[in-house]
Amino acid sequence: MSAATICPPSIEPDLPPGAVGRLTIDLDALAGNWRQLTAAAGPGVTVGAVVKADGYGLGLAPVALSLAAAGCRWFFVALLEEGEALARAFAGRWPEARIGVFSGPLPGTLERFLAGPSLVPVLNDLDQVEAWRMRGGGRPAILHLDTGMARLGLPPEEALALAADPARRAGLALAAVMSHLACADEPAHPHNALQLARFERLSAGFPAAPRSLAASSGFFLGPGYRFDLVRAGAALYGLNPTPGAPNPMRQVVGVQARILQVRAIDRGSPVGYGAAFTTDRPRLVATIGLGYADGLPRNAGNRARCHVGPMEAPIIGRISMDLATLDVSAIAPERVRPGRLVELIGPHHDADALAAECGTIGHDILTGLGPRLHRVYRGGAPC
Ligand SMILES: *Cc1c(COP(=O)(O)O)cnc(C)c1O
């Protein structure tokens, strides 16, 4: 990594006046997570980065540029627009970087794929295979095989038929064959071994192509699942790829919210919409300026927790569009004055913990973080 591509740390401790929430993104931890996976995989395995949905909500350009500066050369996005935006962000740097586009060459997009030399479409059905073979100019694509998810990709019988018919494959250059695991976050699930066996069998029909099966959790199912190319998303962003076991990744994301008002209320007082919480004793209530429009799920109401240092501040009442209410009775009053920040995601309570309280997964929390949060990038922000 050359120092010239890295900006000085951009630490901005304070929120601008008027901002009510802050999203901090530790780009050093992000790059460290990529290096950790790359080192753990060892030689012969390439760890690609999935940066779809604006880099899981953390900012496509800063995320991808940090990973590229660390040495990552394979990137994946869901949409062609995302791939084009990434190619623009690279602006001629890392010309060898490749951008796989999961949604593939949808009708009317062929010219745009051909205009972007780094773009690699994922071919999800036989029509796309045929179109790319005839009009893709010999450019490589990724062939997606469905090994048991019924989502995208060629079903086994089509994959076998294509493999068996050289005429239908003539001129088709494959950068990889890929499939996706449905149950990788449950290591004991029998579907993992079944999909692995199907992938071995179906990919053998395309012996010259590198193989890609694992995303973040699949990586941790063991070396037998890693093949040539891993497509890691969640783990890079610090989410736990091994649910139920300690998180092997570094935390990347923090979310803090500003306290707007604090009030002492009596026993029997309702809090928030629907009077969905009523106090059983006098309490101190802090209102923070962060709501479901900012990505604090509405079903965090009466379920999730914030933190002030190590102290818990349970969310009480419903989440509003722009506001939420916390019980801060147990916290020293000087620490919960208006203007102070409380932690929604951070060292005491990570995105997975918030997700579990809300009945969802960390991917959903990160990609839901809204544009009103003031973003602060820490560490090796690329210029
Ligand atoms: C989103 C996605 C990934 C990344 O999954 P993580 O669980 O975030 O690592 C990999 N492959 C495909 C096909 C995906 O859609």
Side-chain angles (χ1 to χ4, degrees):
M1 176 176 36
S2 117
T5 62
I6 304 296
C7 289
S10 59
I11 296 174
E12 199 179 321
D14 295 316
L15 274 182
V20 290
R22 179 172 68 185
L23 167 58
T24 59
I25 296 140
D26 184 340
L27 296 172
D28 286 343
L30 171 81
N33 284 335
W34 180 82
R35 285 194 200 93
Q36 181 186 324
L37 293 183
T38 298
V45 180
T46 298
V47 178
V50 182
V51 295
K52 59 193 180 186
D54 196 30
Y56 284 44
L58 306 183
L60 175 64
V63 159
L65 294 179
S66 297
L67 292 167
C72 183
R73 292 294 177 269
W74 258 110
F75 295 86
F76 294 93
V77 293
L79 308 185
L80 175 57
E81 280 75 9
E82 296 175 327
E84 291 170 329
L86 182 52
R88 280 195 301 275
F90 283 162
R93 281 175 288 175
W94 308 296
E96 72 280 26
R98 289 293 163 263
I99 304 168
V101 179
F102 288 141
S103 60
L106 299 175
T109 63
L110 212 75
E111 297 307 319
R112 285 163 62 194
F113 272 101
L114 293 176
S118 55
L119 300 173
V120 183
V122 173
L123 308 177
N124 289 306
D125 62 40
L126 287 175
D127 287 343
Q128 291 184 346
V129 170
E130 186 60 11
W132 192 257
R133 190 172 76 85
M134 301 308 290
R135 301 203 302 277
R139 286 255 305 271
I142 297 173
L143 182 65
H144 189 176
L145 312 176
D146 176 20
T147 54
M149 207 171 172
R151 206 173 66 162
L152 288 176
L154 273 62
E157 48 302 346
E158 291 183 5
L160 291 169
L162 182 65
D165 187 349
R168 287 166 77 187
R169 287 189 290 122
L172 184 66
L174 291 181
V177 283
M178 66 169 268
S179 190
H180 195 52
L181 297 166
C183 305
D185 57 347
E186 297 175 59
H189 202 296
H191 205 55
N192 292 321
L194 185 145
Q195 284 196 271
L196 175 64
R198 269 192 201 150
F199 186 62
E200 298 266 18
R201 187 165 62 92
L202 297 176
S203 63
F206 308 89
R211 294 183 287 178
S212 176
L213 177 63
S216 296
S217 291
F219 182 97
F220 287 90
L221 292 176
Y225 282 83
R226 292 174 192 158
F227 294 95
D228 304 296
L229 175 62
V230 173
R231 308 181 308 273
L236 299 178
Y237 306 106
L239 299 177
N240 188 356
T242 58
N247 189 349
M249 312 313 299
R250 278 170 70 184
Q251 269 206 59
V252 173
V253 177
V255 174
Q256 299 89 30
R258 203 201 288 278
I259 296 175
L260 303 182
Q261 239 185 37
V262 179
R263 76 187 66 235
I265 58 172
D266 292 334
R267 178 174 182 276
S269 305
V271 177
Y273 278 123
F277 184 92
T278 304
T279 50
D280 56 354
R281 57 193 155 84
R283 302 224 197 179
L284 197 61
V285 177
T287 302
I288 55 171
L290 211 141
Y292 59 77
D294 304 297
L296 176 57
R298 191 164 174 277
N299 56 0
N302 280 329
R303 290 169 77 184
R305 290 165 295 151
C306 289
H307 281 77
V308 177
M311 300 291 293
E312 277 184 19
I315 294 178
I316 55 175
R318 288 193 188 150
I319 308 293
S320 303
M321 189 182 292
D322 327 291
L323 301 167
T325 35
L326 315 178
D327 179 358
V328 294
S329 312
I331 300 171
E334 67 272 14
R335 304 197 65 187
V336 287
R337 276 204 279 268
R340 301 293 296 254
L341 297 182
V342 301
E343 170 191 310
L344 183 68
I345 297 175
H348 304 98
H349 190 244
D350 61 19
D352 294 305
L354 176 63
E357 289 163 347
C358 301
T360 186
I361 57 172
H363 304 59
D364 188 15
I365 296 292
L366 294 191
T367 55
L369 295 173
R372 299 194 298 188
L373 295 172
H374 176 69
R375 282 162 161 71
V376 177
Y377 292 95
R378 300 202 161 147
C383 303

